[in-house]
Amino acid sequence: MRKRRTPFDLIRSVLGTGVLVVALLFQMLPFFLLLVVMAYAMGVTGGAMLVIVPVLLLAMIFAACGLAAKRTRRRYPAWPPPMRRRARRRPVRPAAVALLKTRAERYQELRDVMRGVWR
């Protein structure tokens, strides 16, 4: 079921949109003032032109962003599925070798060291 919209919801939506637009304008105001200063530095001195030149520059920026966004919407062919890896045939390892020495082997090495027999 669809929720019924009340007049208060409409007012709340309009206020929210208005606050968002005002916030964006205040964020863009320093950039716009910088564009006015740049236009003045380029030699534009008329009052109307000091507003028109930055507006045109902003329009060019928005147009470039729109064209860039439109380019990314095009679908490109999907990547081909990756090739399945084949397991390498490895030689079977020999049986595990005991790395620990027995007590007899350790005593034999100790006797050899004490007698001066070096390996």
Side-chain angles (χ1 to χ4, degrees), residues 47-110:
M49 288 303 288
L50 280 176
V51 173
I52 292 173
V53 169
V55 168
L56 290 176
L57 287 173
L58 284 174
M60 285 178 16
I61 290 172
F62 283 120
C65 290
L67 288 174
K70 191 182 293 185
R71 281 186 62 196
T72 58
R73 286 189 202 128
R74 281 190 274 169
R75 297 278 178 171
Y76 293 103
W79 288 95
M83 292 176 44
R84 291 194 58 160
R85 287 178 138 189
R86 292 186 204 166
R88 290 188 301 183
R89 301 214 176 228
R90 296 181 181 168
V92 179
R93 289 184 177 181
V97 178
L99 298 177
L100 296 175
K101 295 181 181 182
T102 62
R103 177 180 271 178
E105 289 172 333
R106 284 184 291 176
Y107 280 126
Q108 183 60 44
E109 283 186 359
L110 184 61

Side-chain angles (χ1 to χ4, degrees), residues 31-43 50 54:
F31 182 65
F32 187 72
L33 291 175
L34 181 65
L35 288 177
V36 169
V37 170
M38 287 173 50
Y40 186 74
M42 288 188 291
L50 280 176

